[in-house]
Amino acid sequence: MGMSAGAHLAKRGVDTLLIDAFDPPHQEGSHHGDTRLIRHAYHGGPAYINMAICAHQLWNELEEETGETLLVQSGVLNMSSPAVYSYKARLEESRGLGLPVEYLDADEIRKRWPGVVVPEDYMALYEPQAGYLFSERCISAYRRSAAEAGAELLANTRVERLEANPGGVSVYTSKGIFHAGQVILSAGAWFQTLEPFLSLKMKPVRKVVGWFQPSNTQFDAGRFPGFTLNTPEGGFYGFPSLDGSGLKIGRHDGGLPWNPGEPIAPFGSCEEDEGDLRRALDTYMPGASGALNRGTVCKYELTPDEDFIIDRHPVHSNVLIAGGFSGHGFKFASVVGEILSDLATRGAASLDIGLFSISRFK
Ligand SMILES: Cc1cc2nc3c(=O)[nH]c(=O)nc-3n(C[C@H](O)[C@H](O)[C@H](O)COP(=O)(O)OP(=O)(O)OC[C@H]3O[C@@H](n4cnc5c(N)ncnc54)[C@H](O)[C@@H]3O)c2cc1C
């Protein structure tokens, strides 16, 4: 979010300094592990759908600017047990906003993607224009774009505390003090380290993903889409096998609490790390449940309603906040950067961000 905001601001001619505790992209935040889904037919309503459409366009523009492939339009297959979720409302809302979404029953799912084994009463919402982003590549692309537009990046520099008054903001870091007219805070799962200057209602959790070797080519990129899978046992998401990487799968719900700064247990520390993912594959995509090729640990920062926080600081209006992306924010990073840049330079965003106010938690 920060790198995108930095690129958007610098392109508008704003004197921009980016500060990161690590050297992005890196493994300490919420963005590593190769890929992130970009879906458009969101359950959160028109505000999310419009943002997703706009985000997709901005990713395409970044691709044109940098000459890099960042987004693969693989299609995304959203599947659910009727006991967990029905796609009826989302389907109507998405079609109303011009998205070419399809409603599929279990037979049709199995016919189009023979690797998927779903019970008779399952259904799907298929988004042919959705897909996945190469997350680290996206960050590197924004990093280059920001630098070319004149932004400066201080990597491996930790923000330790902040002070703000109507005249400006002082940022105390491990490499000195910086003063700015306005500051954007986008600390991902690390926001607690900025307390007491800012206290947000959000819970950082440890999340894992694994890459499993399929026994056949049905799950290969080009043939298999990105997917989400809502089952009575949990909510899962995943990606096709890219150049032999294996099918990547993660679980959206659950996760162990993590305190920022504490060491995080590596993949495989708990039985559930591999077990939850393999059990889902055994049941719903048995042909993809081969050897575990790789596993990694990442972080979510969950707000109580899992909606984002994009707003001004409750006391200091010259401090903008973008956080609480609750495990589904990456796809929006392009448009969130533009929104933050609008807020900083024009005082208002052109998209509806009312849903993301801090005051909703009072
Ligand atoms: C396993 C997993 C799967 C996901 N899947 C998807 C998906 O399919 N689709 C999707 O849209 N989203 C997905 N997400 C969510 C998405 O990746 C996050 O919402 C997004 O990366 C959040 O971006 P961010 O900029 O807020 O956080 P980050 O990318 O973590 O960036 C925060 C940055 O702030 C820096 N920082 C923190 N504290 C300080 C400090 N005190 N001083 C200086 N720098 C600091 C960090 O070093 C970091 O670089 C997933 C997340 C995970 C973990």
Side-chain angles (χ1 to χ4, degrees):
M1 304 298 165
M3 203 64 88
S4 163
H8 284 281
L9 282 167
K11 277 190 203 158
R12 291 185 193 187
V14 176
D15 193 9
T16 305
L17 175 64
L18 289 152
I19 305 175
D20 202 292
F22 302 96
D23 194 3
H26 57 74
Q27 312 255 318
E28 307 293 335
S30 304
H31 58 252
H32 67 283
D34 304 344
T35 43
R36 293 290 184 270
L37 291 179
I38 175 158
R39 300 177 289 110
H40 308 126
Y42 244 70
H43 62 275
Y48 274 110
I49 297 175
N50 285 326
M51 268 174 65
I53 294 169
C54 193
H56 191 118
Q57 194 182 325
L58 289 170
W59 289 120
N60 288 153
E61 286 174 20
L62 186 62
E63 285 183 310
E64 265 172 46
E65 179 192 325
T66 59
E68 286 253 12
T69 300
L70 305 175
L71 195 162
V72 177
Q73 226 160 312
S74 61
V76 173
L77 176 66
N78 302 284
M79 296 170 277
S80 187
S81 152
V84 183
Y85 197 76
S86 155
Y87 291 115
K88 288 263 153 70
R90 212 200 291 188
L91 198 76
E92 272 170 35
E93 220 157 38
S94 307
R95 283 189 178 144
L97 288 166
L99 291 176
V101 288
E102 294 178 56
Y103 185 79
L104 311 177
D105 62 16
D107 266 352
E108 188 61 26
I109 300 171
R110 294 185 296 238
K111 202 163 87 192
R112 290 202 202 179
W113 297 284
V116 179
V117 180
V118 282
E120 214 40 55
D121 59 346
Y122 271 49
M123 67 210 121
L125 182 154
Y126 179 59
E127 305 183 62
Q129 292 183 347
Y132 51 88
L133 292 153
F134 294 109
S135 52
E136 286 99 336
R137 247 191 245 172
C138 289
I139 291 173
S140 299
Y142 266 135
R143 182 172 172 162
R144 280 201 308 282
S145 173
E148 274 161 29
E152 196 181 324
L153 169 68
L154 281 181
N156 301 310
T157 306
R158 183 170 301 277
V159 172
E160 286 162 350
R161 69 186 178 88
L162 296 106
E163 277 172 16
N165 60 55
V169 187
S170 301
V171 183
Y172 293 75
T173 78
S174 51
K175 293 195 185 150
I177 307 168
F178 300 89
H179 305 280
Q182 295 186 74
V183 161
I184 295 172
L185 297 176
S186 62
W190 295 80
F191 264 103
Q192 276 166 26
T193 62
L194 302 177
E195 291 180 358
F197 181 77
L198 175 67
S199 293
L200 295 177
K201 279 207 188 312
M202 75 173 66
K203 187 174 100 180
V205 290
R206 171 186 180 273
K207 302 297 295 181
V208 298
V209 289
W211 286 256
F212 292 83
Q213 188 59 43
S215 60
N216 59 60
T217 56
Q218 282 169 344
F219 302 96
D220 283 359
R223 292 184 69 178
F224 202 68
F227 67 89
T228 64
L229 175 63
N230 293 302
T231 78
E233 305 89 53
F236 301 87
Y237 60 88
F239 305 80
S241 178
L242 300 169
D243 299 325
S245 64
L247 180 133
K248 175 182 162 190
I249 183 168
R251 179 169 179 174
H252 180 70
D253 58 311
L256 296 170
W258 171 70
N259 285 322
E262 278 184 2
I264 196 155
F267 185 96
S269 306
C270 343
E271 186 282 329
E272 293 80 12
D273 286 356
E274 180 177 344
D276 277 356
L277 308 180
R278 187 174 290 288
R279 280 185 283 275
L281 290 177
D282 284 343
T283 310
Y284 301 99
M285 297 173 197
S289 185
L292 175 74
N293 289 342
R294 179 183 159 202
T296 192
V297 176
C298 200
K299 292 146 198 151
Y300 277 7
E301 59 290 352
L302 297 167
T303 62
D305 54 12
E306 297 194 15
D307 286 324
F308 310 152
I309 297 171
I310 306 174
D311 203 348
R312 292 184 188 276
H313 188 288
V315 178
H316 307 292
S317 60
N318 44 9
V319 177
L320 296 166
I321 295 149
F325 289 97
S326 304
H328 62 115
F330 196 92
K331 64 183 77 56
F332 299 107
S334 55
V335 71
V336 168
E338 187 178 73
I339 287 170
L340 292 166
S341 173
D342 281 346
L343 290 172
T345 58
R346 297 177 192 152
S350 53
L351 288 166
D352 177 12
I353 54 164
L355 193 61
F356 309 130
S357 71
I358 297 185
S359 61
R360 74 184 189 272
F361 296 125
K362 283 199 182 129

